Amino acid sequence: MAKKKQAEISQETQEEALQIAKKTQKPGQTKEQTRLIAQGIQKGIAEYKKAAKSKQRQADKARKRQQKAQPQVETSESAPATQKKPKNSALLPWTLLIISWLGFAAYLFTQL
């Protein structure tokens, strides 16, 4: 089981943890103590990466849910709008035509 955990930690992470441990090394500290500190730092980095991946997964799931919900809302809103538009646009020219003919007829009757 310990071999699995070591295999999960990348070489870059191990090197980074060792560098950090060496930078914080105190005088009189043995190599074994530095190695143990480096292992603790590795575990911390692994936990941080695991938490970051989990947060990223949750954010992706939320974004996908939002994207799935958004097109449904748009289609349900756009369908009634497209149905209303032709009625309004079809009524307007006919109304204007009738009003103009009535006005023309009124003009002709007033000229007689």
Side-chain angles (χ1 to χ4, degrees):
M1 192 169 206
K3 289 182 181 180
K4 272 189 174 180
K5 285 188 178 181
Q6 285 180 351
E8 289 177 9
I9 299 172
S10 68
Q11 186 66 27
E12 291 176 3
T13 304
Q14 291 175 355
E15 289 173 4
E16 184 180 356
L18 188 59
Q19 287 176 354
I20 293 169
K22 285 182 180 180
K23 286 180 183 177
T24 60
Q25 189 175 13
K26 296 183 179 180
Q29 186 173 326
T30 65
K31 288 184 179 182
E32 182 63 25
Q33 290 171 332
T34 305
R35 188 181 62 78
L36 291 173
I37 290 170
Q39 285 178 346
I41 293 170
Q42 285 175 8
K43 287 180 184 179
I45 292 171
E47 287 292 319
Y48 175 79
K49 286 182 178 180
K50 186 185 276 187
K53 283 182 182 180
S54 176
K55 284 182 183 179
Q56 183 66 32
R57 257 187 258 116
Q58 293 297 329
D60 285 344
K61 286 180 183 179
R63 183 178 46 85
K64 285 180 182 179
R65 276 189 234 125
Q66 188 179 20
Q67 284 178 347
K68 284 182 181 179
Q70 192 174 15
Q72 291 174 355
V73 171
E74 286 179 10
T75 55
S76 64
E77 287 178 3
S78 64
T82 55
Q83 290 175 357
K84 288 181 182 178
K85 241 183 182 178
K87 287 182 182 179
N88 290 340
S89 63
L91 273 177
L92 182 64
W94 286 106
T95 306
L96 291 174
L97 180 67
I98 291 170
I99 290 172
S100 66
W101 280 55
L102 289 174
F104 182 67
Y107 172 76
L108 285 178
F109 284 122
T110 58
Q111 294 295 322
L112 290 176

